[in-house]
Amino acid sequence: MHPFQDHADMPIAQDGHRLTPTLRATARSARARGRLLPAFVGWACLFFSMPGQAAPEVARQATDHGSGALVLHHQEGDADALLLNADMDLQVQGLLANMTLKQTFRNTSKLWLNGSYLFPLPEDAAIRGLRIHVGERTILGRISPRDQARSDFEQAVQAGQVASLMEQQRPNLFTLQIANIAPEQDVRVTLDVMLPVQLSAQGMSLIIPTTLTPRYLTHDTVHAQALQPDFIAPEQKSGPTLDVTLSIDPLEDFDSVTGTVSLVPTSDQRFRIDDMPMNQDLIINWPTQYDPATRAQAFVSLHEGERYVQLLMNPPEQLEIDDQRARELIIVLDKSGSMAGVSMRAAMDALVYAIDRLTEDDLLNIVAFDDLHYPLFEQSLAATQQVKQQAKRFAARLQAEGGTEMDAALNHALRVTDRHTTEAEHGVDRLKQIVFITDGSVGNEDALLRNIRSNLGNSRLFTVGIGSAPNRWFLDKAAEAGRGASVSIRNEHEAADAISELLDKLRYPVLTDIAVHFPHGQGEIYPQPVPDLYADRPAMWVGKLSDEVDEIVVTGVRREEAFTQTLTLAQAATAPQLSIPTSAPSVAMHWARQKIAALEDEQRHAADPESNREAITQLAIHTGLVTPYTSLIAVEQTPSRPLTDPLAAASVANRLPHGSLMMGIKLPQGAAGVDTLLWVSLFLCLTGCSLLPLSRKIH
């Protein structure tokens, strides 16, 4: 019998992400002191038998400020030694945006500091340059192989030189380290970033993360230590803030901006956002400036003698779909601790809405997970009213706590689909859909993506990103590996619309098996392979062309019929509706970033996980991009810190995502792997139980 079907309380592991409770005991009598040691050991063993990883060693004993925050103690109260404020200048030109991000690090202490900061950027952003400003001095960064850049930085630390090192930990997560910040001094780090504009039938948008959801780390997490930043406790009102200036060309009007911030116009096409708390994604929407009636459009530019093209592809008009076509819907629901708060409420609303959309011809199952996975049924059942009510009761008992072990839940859903949804078994042509609802708070993304692609079969995996700061790169890549699509839900008020869009418009690709051909000359188009097109979801591809290419032919399959669209580049260069201004260097950089992403995807699923390391490194050095194998390093030649002065370490604490309650519960890490921890847990639990009687004998 399923453990949740007849019990109101779910048997959920009680443990936590990075926070560990403090055991306090007071010996109030001689007899209490006599039994304190065995009792303490026993209960400690019982506690530490819970799956999890102890929090990393703290720089100062101030747990409210995170594991690496250096806290200064004053009569008027405690304060972090290293503070951060950020300024962002966004200049949007057509389909690409140039972003200048200035991060000012303030050393409020009387110590020399080494500072560190883990921060997010859009997953398709290209970091093109770094500059350090110390007083009137400016230090320019250079791109170097990762190992060499780290070695140069460590030498600068020891020599007392001001230096900065920027490394990619994930395509959407970066660490910035600053060495030898003088007492009571400001150091400003300026980053030059390019990012593409997001497209939809409703308009254009920029999505810029400002914080991250704490990652759940496992034994196969790469660079795990770098993914454990400090977080500000929810009761603290201080924390990093962001000022934004924004210009868009061309622009007629705004549709919306992230709900909790105000956009102030300063001129016809310039706007400001002041003092935005860095606790949620900054999302800016404006009306489309391209012709949505045109199926394909091309924008050609030249850079350093090379030809580049941006292809904007609108899906063909969607054909009428038989609303009675049956489906099997398996909902994989993340109920781990990072979902606590607004994320869990939004997920529950999305789940209930999805259940209500099913008919009795459909099949339904739910697989919830935290440290373990909890399937509602061993196999999908017909979505009768009784089954749907059972599913809602199951959902109502779910609580957000525990770790984030996705693999087993996804494997269960994929295996159930393979076993029970063939036409021969059911006699109908069912859509096989897995809807994965999560904030993506994991550190082992590559392993999960390999698993999805290896076990997908004929299913389609759709991802629903939950919360104000989801791991969008993982969610998009999971949907891409699952041949599906991804949508986002910030709060419970958006759940119905997002799930409706997902289950209706996105369930049928409008154009599949897409290929791009060059009758004359050669070209490299990315992303590769070209993903399917879904209704109301335009796509932008970028390519590098030889001089001979005069036309591009796009082919695909539309509802089992051949589709062809031919673009003549000479016409594209002069057509009025195609005159969207875009910087040629930005297009070239975007192409290089997309090619590197394709090489990373290829090696992720290859026998050798670093088969393209040399190719990625060479392309990144040539174009000046930060990648897993290259970093930006800036070092001032003249030492600043006297070598006799001590050097402390501090980090900038991130804000928790808006609406998150995860610091109020326990969230495990599981770096040893769940299987290992279960055996260790059993041993320690038995040890604890054996010591408890000893305390009674002493008594």
Side-chain angles (χ1 to χ4, degrees):
M1 180 178 296
H2 192 279
F4 299 169
Q5 290 177 355
D6 292 333
H7 299 279
D9 296 325
M10 206 182 332
I12 299 170
Q14 299 288 320
D15 33 51
H17 220 306
R18 290 185 49 209
L19 307 176
T20 57
T22 302
L23 296 175
R24 293 185 177 94
T26 303
R28 297 187 181 275
S29 67
R31 286 187 302 174
R33 286 191 296 269
R35 64 175 178 267
L36 178 62
L37 179 60
F40 177 85
V41 173
W43 285 112
C45 289
L46 284 170
F47 170 75
F48 285 109
S49 69
M50 295 179 289
Q53 170 190 322
E57 183 179 354
V58 296
R60 292 284 299 274
Q61 199 164 10
T63 55
D64 285 347
H65 293 264
S67 65
L70 180 63
V71 178
L72 304 177
H73 301 283
H74 304 286
Q75 289 183 348
E76 62 273 17
D78 296 347
D80 290 336
L82 188 64
L83 303 179
L84 167 73
N85 284 309
D87 291 273
M88 180 185 298
D89 181 64
L90 284 167
Q91 297 184 7
V92 181
Q93 290 187 308
L95 301 176
L96 294 174
N98 292 310
M99 177 172 74
T100 302
L101 178 62
K102 297 178 181 178
Q103 299 171 327
T104 301
F105 298 86
R106 179 169 297 113
N107 179 1
T108 65
S109 75
K110 298 185 182 302
L111 303 170
W112 287 84
L113 288 184
N114 283 346
S116 64
Y117 179 43
L118 176 69
F119 67 100
L121 284 173
E123 61 273 13
D124 44 9
I127 301 169
R128 303 183 291 192
L130 176 149
R131 299 186 301 278
I132 307 176
H133 308 272
V134 184
E136 300 298 322
R137 310 190 305 278
T138 298
I139 310 161
L140 298 180
R142 67 180 188 278
I143 201 78
S144 293
R146 184 173 182 136
D147 293 343
Q148 182 62 52
R150 177 164 283 276
S151 176
D152 292 345
F153 179 76
E154 291 172 353
Q155 289 180 25
V157 172
Q158 298 301 319
Q161 298 164 285
V162 176
S164 182
L165 175 67
M166 184 170 187
E167 296 178 312
Q168 176 180 309
Q169 307 301 338
R170 298 294 184 271
N172 61 341
L173 278 181
F174 299 83
T175 51
L176 186 65
Q177 297 187 69
I178 310 100
N180 294 303
I181 307 175
E184 300 180 334
Q185 185 182 59
D186 288 358
V187 173
R188 188 172 77 248
V189 178
T190 300
L191 298 175
D192 180 22
V193 184
M194 183 280 304
L195 56 151
V197 171
Q198 305 297 313
L199 302 169
S200 71
Q202 290 73 39
M204 310 172 87
S205 63
L206 283 174
I207 303 175
I208 302 173
T210 66
T211 190
L212 63 145
T213 300
R215 299 293 193 255
Y216 178 80
L217 308 179
T218 65
H219 65 279
D220 55 356
T221 299
V222 179
H223 304 308
Q225 187 63 35
L227 299 182
Q228 299 184 74
D230 307 307
F231 284 92
I232 296 169
E235 62 270 18
Q236 290 183 264
K237 302 302 181 183
S238 62
T241 60
L242 177 67
D243 293 333
V244 181
T245 58
L246 169 69
S247 66
I248 299 177
D249 182 22
L251 174 69
E252 294 178 359
D253 194 10
F254 273 108
D255 284 341
S256 63
V257 69
T258 303
T260 57
V261 300
S262 299
L263 198 67
V264 179
T266 59
S267 64
D268 290 343
Q269 292 185 331
R270 292 192 67 82
F271 301 83
R272 280 195 59 83
I273 298 172
D274 295 318
D275 295 325
M276 173 185 168
M278 295 172 65
N279 63 358
Q280 61 186 306
D281 290 352
L282 172 62
I283 304 175
I284 303 169
N285 303 297
W286 65 96
T288 179
Q289 297 297 326
Y290 61 87
D291 181 5
T294 304
R295 289 182 179 175
Q297 298 167 268
F299 311 92
V300 180
S301 59
L302 297 175
H303 178 60
E304 295 183 350
E306 303 281 359
R307 294 175 79 207
Y308 296 90
V309 63
Q310 290 173 284
L311 290 176
L312 179 59
M313 187 72 188
N314 287 295
E317 183 179 355
Q318 187 176 16
L319 299 178
E320 290 298 322
I321 298 172
D322 181 6
D323 291 334
Q324 300 304 311
R325 186 176 180 187
R327 75 181 84 176
E328 179 187 21
L329 182 66
I330 301 178
I331 302 172
V332 179
L333 179 67
D334 184 349
K335 59 169 291 298
S336 64
S338 63
M339 294 282 289
V342 65
S343 296
M344 194 64 184
R345 295 196 300 271
M348 298 305 301
D349 284 358
L351 185 149
V352 171
Y353 188 83
I355 292 172
D356 285 337
R357 302 278 295 181
L358 299 175
T359 71
E360 294 193 0
D361 291 331
D362 300 322
L363 302 179
L364 169 65
N365 201 1
I366 301 172
V367 184
F369 70 91
D370 47 37
D371 300 282
L372 305 174
H373 68 284
Y374 313 96
L376 173 59
F377 308 117
E378 282 305 309
Q379 63 183 38
S380 303
L381 299 181
T384 63
Q385 287 302 314
Q386 180 181 359
V387 166
K388 289 199 284 188
Q389 287 303 315
Q390 191 173 355
K392 291 178 182 179
R393 288 195 299 271
F394 170 86
R397 292 192 290 268
L398 299 176
Q399 297 179 13
E401 50 192 329
T404 314
E405 295 288 346
M406 294 181 176
D407 253 339
L410 286 170
N411 283 338
H412 184 92
L414 293 166
R415 286 198 304 270
V416 167
T417 299
D418 287 343
R419 288 202 307 265
H420 300 288
T421 59
T422 64
E423 283 189 27
E425 287 175 306
H426 296 292
V428 293
D429 180 18
R430 280 192 169 87
L431 293 168
K432 306 176 185 70
Q433 301 173 333
I434 299 172
V435 175
F436 187 21
I437 304 177
T438 178
D439 57 11
S441 174
V442 291
N444 61 332
E445 296 99 329
D446 281 357
L448 291 164
L449 294 174
R450 287 193 296 270
N451 181 33
I452 292 170
R453 180 164 292 187
S454 299
N455 298 305
L456 185 69
N458 292 323
S459 306
R460 291 293 187 271
L461 176 72
F462 299 87
T463 59
V464 180
I466 293 288
S468 54
N471 184 352
R472 293 183 185 274
W473 172 74
F474 171 67
L475 294 164
D476 289 345
K477 281 294 180 183
E480 180 183 311
R483 295 183 293 176
S486 180
V487 297
S488 293
I489 302 175
R490 289 196 298 273
N491 54 58
E492 59 267 40
H493 307 299
E494 299 181 357
D497 289 343
I499 290 296
S500 177
E501 176 188 6
L502 183 70
L503 297 181
D504 293 340
K505 293 180 180 179
L506 301 183
R507 59 178 172 165
Y508 294 97
V510 180
L511 193 63
T512 63
D513 301 325
I514 301 172
V516 181
H517 308 276
F518 308 95
H520 310 105
Q522 296 179 334
E524 276 188 272
I525 293 288
Y526 294 103
Q528 194 63 241
V530 179
D532 295 342
L533 282 180
Y534 289 84
D536 296 333
R537 286 213 162 191
M540 185 178 72
W541 312 322
V542 63
K544 184 178 181 181
L545 309 176
S546 66
D547 293 339
E548 299 81 14
V549 175
D550 56 359
E551 63 180 16
I552 299 173
V553 179
V554 180
T555 62
V557 176
R558 181 192 179 196
R559 300 292 284 174
E560 301 182 355
E561 296 182 358
F563 171 89
T564 301
Q565 175 79 32
T566 301
L567 288 168
T568 303
L569 297 188
Q571 295 176 353
T574 58
Q577 71 269 26
L578 304 178
S579 57
I580 295 180
T582 299
S583 164
S586 294
V587 178
M589 190 72 71
H590 183 42
W591 176 85
R593 185 71 188 85
Q594 290 291 301
K595 176 164 183 169
I596 288 171
L599 291 170
E600 291 173 341
D601 286 343
E602 181 181 290
Q603 74 176 14
R604 182 177 296 117
H605 304 287
D608 179 1
E610 294 199 337
S611 55
N612 292 330
R613 180 182 186 123
E614 184 62 26
I616 293 171
T617 301
Q618 292 304 317
L619 180 57
I621 290 176
H622 176 70
T623 53
L625 289 174
V626 177
T627 71
Y629 307 125
T630 54
S631 303
L632 275 169
I633 174 75
V635 178
E636 186 174 34
Q637 295 305 309
T638 303
S640 298
R641 175 179 60 88
L643 298 184
T644 55
D645 288 1
L647 183 63
S651 64
V652 174
N654 285 268
R655 291 178 184 260
L656 276 175
H658 178 69
S660 173
L661 300 178
M662 67 175 298
M663 286 187 74
I665 63 171
K666 306 171 193 171
L667 306 166
Q669 277 300 343
V674 168
D675 293 338
T676 303
L677 288 168
L678 288 176
W679 285 108
V680 174
S681 299
L682 178 60
F683 171 76
L684 291 176
C685 185
L686 292 174
T687 303
C689 291
S690 67
L691 287 172
L692 288 177
L694 180 59
S695 68
R696 291 194 291 270
K697 290 181 180 179
I698 293 175
H699 174 70

